[in-house]
Amino acid sequence: MHWLADLMAAIGVVLNGIPQGIMAMGLGFAVFPTTFSFLLVAALNFLFHSVAPVSFQAESLALTGSLGRDTSEFTSIIFGGSVIMAIIGFTGTLPQIVYLLGNHIITAMMAGVGIMLAKIALNMSRTHQKSLAGWVSIAVAVITYLISHDLVWTICLSVILSSLYAVLVEHYHAELPAIVTARKFVLTKPHFNQRILRGALSLACLNIGANLSYGLITGQMTGIKPNPVNLNLLTSSQALADMGTSLLGGAPVETIISATASAPEPVIAGCLMMLIMAVILFSGWLPKIGRFVPSASIAGFLFVLGVFVTFPENATAALAGKEQLAATATMLLTALVDPFVGLLAGGFLKIVVPLLALL
């Protein structure tokens, strides 16, 4: 019955990915081109026996949405970030970057991202002044997570119940832009300006942290020792997927903590999950669902992910070492500005503070 356990694990991760795919549509991304990303990484994972799949990731979507002004800038940020990550992946320099900055600085940046997610969730709920769907989503998500401590239940219940409230009480129904629902590949030319450069660097910084934490956690869930996740392969495949889909106007896919790793056949389960997502996107089912799901319905999941999951575990790890000043600066500047500025400040303080101590 291994196949049934693999299928159930895959379906669970799909249920977690669908609301985040709807979030991507809310930002104006076309989801049909993202079929390419899921098929590419599924093929690479099957070929190289990788247990770490990719899917829509709320953190990267939220960060991209906060750093760009429109869909054109969003896709340009993703393309720029994917180029940086491809260079890191193909040259195998991720371990060297981690060694240079130190684990405390990386985890401090991820803790700052947690604060950023909570801010985005609250702003998302405030922005929709005529709707309470965002606040309903936050309330349901917090209650569900405190009871279950399960992110799949949290995202499913908060999105479903807040959407039902919006549809039944507020009579919500949205007509999505044609570019979001179009079932075709449209070549999108990347643009370049200072905001896009900073966004690309920030997204790359976030992905470095996510690949390390989410990728290795997924590897640990397999119970295989040593950890089976090849970080260079994971970084390269995710970068190629994002590079391709961004040129077609599609939404990005990133590393996730995937329950498929705990399935009897983690490689098969992960590939199966990505193939199911590819079918959903290719068939056009996601935009049909998205007409009845307000973008603010994801606010609860973002809030819980930031406040209860990402911030506490990363902040604890970051502040446990000797480099507390650098870690604190990284955390705060990431939350207030962006991950690139946070890492830059943390790396600077890590070098300068010991030198000043010698004076």
Side-chain angles (χ1 to χ4, degrees):
M1 298 293 285
H2 280 188
W3 65 269
L4 183 59
D6 293 337
L7 178 62
M8 292 304 294
I11 291 173
V13 180
V14 167
L15 291 175
N16 184 52
I18 286 175
Q20 295 174 74
I22 293 171
M23 178 185 179
M25 290 191 299
L27 291 171
F29 286 110
V31 290
F32 179 79
T34 312
T35 304
F36 160 83
S37 300
F38 283 107
L39 292 177
L40 175 65
V41 181
L44 290 173
N45 279 16
F46 183 77
L47 185 63
F48 293 102
H49 304 286
S50 175
V51 301
V54 298
S55 187
F56 296 113
Q57 186 203 82
E59 295 93 322
S60 63
L61 289 168
L63 179 64
T64 305
S66 67
L67 294 174
R69 292 185 302 184
D70 51 39
T71 308
S72 176
E73 287 196 351
F74 297 160
T75 54
S76 298
I77 287 171
I78 293 161
F79 179 78
S82 66
V83 170
I84 296 169
M85 294 304 291
I87 294 170
I88 291 172
F90 285 117
T91 57
T93 51
L94 186 59
Q96 283 76 19
I97 291 172
V98 177
Y99 177 78
L100 180 66
L101 290 173
N103 190 55
H104 291 96
I105 304 298
I106 299 291
T107 52
M109 179 204 67
M110 293 302 292
V113 169
I115 300 172
M116 183 182 287
L117 290 176
K119 283 172 53 184
I120 290 170
L122 294 173
N123 289 336
M124 191 180 284
S125 300
R126 288 196 201 101
T127 302
H128 298 79
Q129 295 179 354
K130 296 180 180 179
S131 173
L132 294 176
W135 299 112
V136 171
S137 177
I138 291 175
V140 172
V142 169
I143 293 169
T144 303
Y145 187 76
L146 290 177
I147 294 173
S148 68
H149 293 281
D150 189 310
L151 285 175
V152 174
W153 276 107
T154 299
I155 191 170
C156 288
L157 285 180
S158 62
V159 169
I160 290 171
L161 292 180
S162 61
S163 298
L164 285 174
Y165 171 83
V167 171
L168 298 177
V169 178
E170 299 177 344
H171 308 292
Y172 177 85
H173 178 78
E175 288 300 326
L176 298 173
I179 190 174
V180 172
T181 59
R183 294 183 62 218
K184 59 182 179 180
F185 296 113
V186 179
L187 189 62
T188 304
K189 183 181 178 181
H191 298 284
F192 181 81
N193 58 38
Q194 186 177 0
R195 183 168 40 256
I196 290 171
L197 176 61
R198 245 183 70 183
L201 289 168
S202 295
L203 187 60
C205 291
L206 172 62
N207 282 333
I208 288 170
N211 286 4
L212 284 168
S213 54
Y214 298 171
L216 293 178
I217 288 171
T218 296
Q220 288 174 357
M221 290 169 67
T222 64
I224 300 171
K225 294 183 179 180
N227 196 306
V229 171
N230 182 327
L231 288 173
N232 292 324
L233 173 64
L234 175 61
T235 301
S236 302
S237 59
Q238 171 241 313
L240 288 175
D242 277 356
M243 199 179 298
T245 194
S246 65
L247 290 174
L248 299 170
V253 292
E254 316 293 356
T255 308
I256 59 169
I257 298 173
S258 178
T260 56
S262 59
E265 299 288 344
V267 175
I268 299 298
C271 292
L272 186 60
M273 180 277 292
M274 289 185 281
L275 290 176
I276 293 172
M277 286 299 297
V279 169
I280 291 172
L281 300 183
F282 185 80
S283 62
W285 293 343
L286 195 61
K288 292 177 182 177
I289 299 171
R291 290 189 177 95
F292 303 97
V293 179
S295 59
S297 66
I298 198 72
F301 178 68
L302 292 178
F303 186 82
V304 166
L305 189 62
V307 173
F308 295 106
V309 180
T310 307
F311 175 74
E313 62 184 41
N314 284 290
T316 301
L319 298 176
K322 297 178 180 179
E323 299 166 344
Q324 293 184 351
L325 178 61
T328 302
T330 302
M331 195 184 308
L332 292 176
L333 286 172
T334 296
L336 295 173
V337 188
D338 60 55
F340 174 66
V341 172
L343 275 187
L344 200 63
F348 176 77
L349 287 174
K350 182 182 178 180
I351 296 170
V352 170
V353 170
L355 293 175
L356 292 176
L358 295 175
L359 298 178

